[in-house]
């Protein structure tokens, strides 16, 4: 049976997707340079599934390594997670972000084209909607970006659209993730950020476990019900299952489709803090801090297209998200590092 290649397969979303793919009967090959992950995540996926993963260390910008990868393994489709994702860092290191994300994707597509593998699921982001004028946000909303990370995702979307336009025998989905949170129900795999977390949920979890003293809530003067930012948080296992559905869709379809993966429901920062502390019976001290530059007030998905095209919709509740985040964090206070 051919492999599904996961670039960045050891990362947060990649590892959860690897598990769902194995559970659905696919064979998985991960290609990762471990710049933001470790092999331990994949070892745990193997334990959870009772199946093995082929793990290759390499960089998507390394054309020779990719050629070798495709020549040594029969690959039917690629799920392309590999990339850098820290918004703040991207403003400091724009060339690094464009090189990794944009040049890396171009190199990957060049090699895929050469070897005739033309099915690609790409990790895009709700960041491509910029500060959307209307919520819920449909896939047809105008696109824009305000930082190099967002620009890199936008550029890749344009590049992939041009490629499919030129060569209609490609099949691609641009999966626009909203805010992935949570962890596998086992507590064995989860998000393991380096240093101070940029994102809300890992920050809350680290405060709850005592690694950080309190959460700064970035702004309480937004035009939202409680004044704090509203986002569409989606359980990472739901998100992972969306990739399985996208691959099944590509088995039947060519062309390119942008598809939101979100729940369609928005929660505020204070909703998240409250849910986390109430459901898990743990204190999450916080204080109100100034707005974070570049943040928007409200962002949530119009998720109907995923249901219509992929037969997918989010199934996990907010309680599941905060419970599973806490199970992972409390069982692995130092992430994969203690292993
Ligand atoms: P992650 O950092 O946990 O995973 C990315 C993986 O890619 C890591 O294992 C990293 O080592 C690897 N990688 C990075 N550059 C590479 C390169 N040049 N060659 C090979 N491997 C490389 O991040 P994640 O949260 O799992 O995100 C996966 C994808 O989804 C990313 O493209 C990200 O931009 C996108 N995305 C993430 C979110 C989010 O909030 N987590 C939201 C929207 C989109
Ligand atoms: C969520 C809310 C913050 C941290 C980012 C990227 C986006 C996508 C997902 C990749 C906001 C507030 C946060 C904290 C806080 N990634 N917050 N205190 O900003 O919606 O999206 O991650 O594609 O591109 O921009 O997610 O988790 O950082 O913030 O008050 O310490 O929590 O202001 O309202 P965001 P986030």
């Amino acid at each position: 049976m051919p492999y599904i290649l996961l670039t960045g397969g050891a990362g947060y979303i990649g590892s959860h997707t690897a598990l769902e793919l194995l559970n659905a009967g696919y064979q998985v090959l991960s290609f990762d340079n471990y710049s933001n992950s470790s092999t331990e995540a994949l070892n745990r996926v193997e334990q959870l599934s009772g199946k093995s993963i082929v793990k290759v260390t390499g960089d998507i910008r390394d054309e020779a390594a990719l050629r070798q990868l495709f020549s040594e393994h029969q690959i039917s489709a690629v799920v392309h997670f590999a990339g850098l994702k820290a918004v703040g860092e991207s403003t400091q290191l724009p060339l690094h972000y464009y090189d990794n994300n944009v040049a890396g994707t171009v190199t990957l597509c060049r090699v895929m084209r050469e070897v005739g593998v033309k099915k690609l699921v790409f990790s895009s982001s709700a960041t491509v909607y910029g500060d959307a004028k209307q919520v819920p946000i449909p896939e047809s909303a105008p696109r824009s970006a305000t930082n190099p990370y967002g620009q890199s995702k936008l550029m890749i979307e344009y590049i992939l659209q041009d490629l499919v336009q030129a060569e209609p025998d490609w099949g691609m989905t641009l999966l626009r993730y909203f805010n992935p949170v949570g962890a596998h129900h086992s507590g064995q795999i989860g998000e393991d950020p380096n240093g101070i977390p940029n994102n809300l949920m890992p920050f809350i979890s680290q405060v709850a476990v005592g690694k950080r003293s309190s959460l700064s809530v970035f702004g309480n003067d937004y035009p939202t019900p409680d004044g704090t930012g509203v986002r569409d948080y989606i359980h990472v296992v739901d998100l992972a299952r969306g990739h399985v559905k996208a691959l099944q869709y590509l088995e039947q379809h060519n062309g390119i489709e942008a598809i939101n993966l979100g729940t369609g429901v928005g929660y505020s920062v204070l909703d998240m803090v409250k849910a986390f502390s109430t459901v898990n019976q743990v204190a999450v001290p916080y204080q109100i801090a100034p707005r974070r530059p570049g943040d928007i007030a409200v962002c949530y998905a119009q998720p109907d297209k995923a249901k219509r095209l992929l037969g997918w919709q989010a199934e996990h509740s907010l309680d599941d998200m905060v419970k599973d985040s806490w199970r992972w964090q409390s069982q692995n206070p130092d992430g994969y590092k203690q292993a």
Side-chain angles (χ1 to χ4, degrees):
M1 205 206 320
Y3 288 95
I4 305 298
L5 168 61
L6 308 191
T7 71
Y12 173 44
I13 304 168
S15 54
H16 287 82
T17 303
L19 180 56
E20 294 305 317
L21 284 169
L22 291 169
N23 289 343
Y26 289 91
Q27 289 221 81
V28 172
L29 166 57
S30 166
F31 184 78
D32 200 305
N33 67 1
Y34 302 109
S35 58
N36 196 36
S37 56
S38 73
T39 48
E40 179 59 17
L42 293 173
N43 295 340
R44 293 191 185 183
V45 171
E46 289 181 323
Q47 284 160 19
L48 286 167
S49 64
K51 295 177 181 171
S52 60
I53 295 172
V54 178
K55 306 177 207 75
V56 179
T57 304
D59 196 298
I60 51 163
R61 293 164 295 177
D62 183 345
E63 192 158 344
L66 285 176
R67 280 212 186 92
Q68 190 180 344
L69 185 76
F70 279 93
S71 74
E72 286 177 357
H73 304 92
Q74 198 199 335
I75 294 166
S76 57
V78 179
V79 188
H80 177 31
F81 298 104
L84 302 174
K85 63 166 182 177
V87 171
E89 185 185 60
S90 79
T91 62
Q92 303 302 311
L93 301 171
L95 293 179
H96 190 46
Y97 271 68
Y98 289 125
D99 185 40
N100 237 283
N101 295 3
V102 182
T105 302
V106 170
T107 305
L108 172 68
C109 288
R110 197 159 48 223
V111 175
M112 287 176 67
R113 183 176 180 276
E114 229 173 68
V115 298
V117 176
K118 292 192 159 187
K119 300 287 183 187
L120 180 72
V121 176
F122 172 62
S123 298
S124 190
S125 167
T127 195
V128 302
Y129 296 120
D131 193 354
K133 289 208 167 47
Q134 279 186 338
V135 284
I137 308 173
E139 287 81 358
S140 56
R143 288 173 288 175
S144 67
T146 50
N147 58 71
Y149 168 71
Q151 293 280 16
S152 76
K153 291 290 174 189
L154 201 50
M155 286 178 191
I156 295 167
E157 285 205 355
Y158 286 131
I159 291 167
L160 297 179
Q161 284 169 333
D162 287 344
L163 181 53
V164 177
Q165 175 83 30
E167 299 177 6
D169 60 334
W170 283 84
M172 296 192 191
T173 54
L174 310 175
L175 298 183
R176 294 180 181 154
Y177 313 153
F178 280 68
N179 287 59
V181 296
H184 188 257
H185 188 67
S186 63
Q188 288 295 299
I189 55 171
E191 187 169 10
D192 183 17
N194 273 327
I196 302 170
N198 299 304
N199 298 113
L200 178 64
M201 201 57 154
F203 205 106
I204 291 178
S205 305
Q206 291 196 7
V207 170
V209 86
K211 289 183 72 138
R212 309 203 177 269
S213 57
S214 95
L215 169 76
S216 291
V217 174
F218 296 144
N220 67 347
D221 56 353
Y222 286 104
T224 62
D226 65 17
T228 66
V230 167
R231 297 289 184 275
D232 186 335
Y233 296 95
I234 173 166
H235 196 293
V236 67
V237 172
D238 281 330
L239 194 73
R241 289 178 183 160
H243 294 73
V244 179
K245 295 283 192 180
L247 281 168
Q248 288 166 349
Y249 176 82
L250 291 180
E251 286 164 13
Q252 310 291 334
H253 299 86
N254 287 341
I256 185 163
E257 294 287 351
I259 302 173
N260 287 340
L261 294 185
T263 65
V265 178
Y267 290 108
S268 74
V269 177
L270 294 180
D271 288 335
M272 299 305 285
V273 172
K274 193 171 164 204
F276 196 99
S277 53
T278 310
V279 170
N280 296 319
Q281 292 292 294
V282 60
V284 181
Y286 67 87
Q287 78 279 339
I288 305 299
R291 289 184 180 193
R292 184 172 61 180
D295 273 0
I296 57 177
V298 180
C299 175
Y300 56 91
Q302 162 66 264
D304 300 18
K305 187 173 175 186
K307 189 166 186 196
R308 186 163 42 84
L309 256 56
L310 308 182
W312 173 94
Q313 62 184 334
E315 283 166 2
H316 290 82
S317 66
L318 179 58
D319 281 15
D320 298 329
M321 298 183 212
V322 297
K323 250 189 232 166
D324 292 338
S325 292
W326 180 233
R327 191 178 294 105
W328 155 253
Q329 182 69 60
S330 52
Q331 287 180 12
N332 306 269
D334 297 315
Y336 294 114
K337 288 164 201 77
Q338 66 201 354

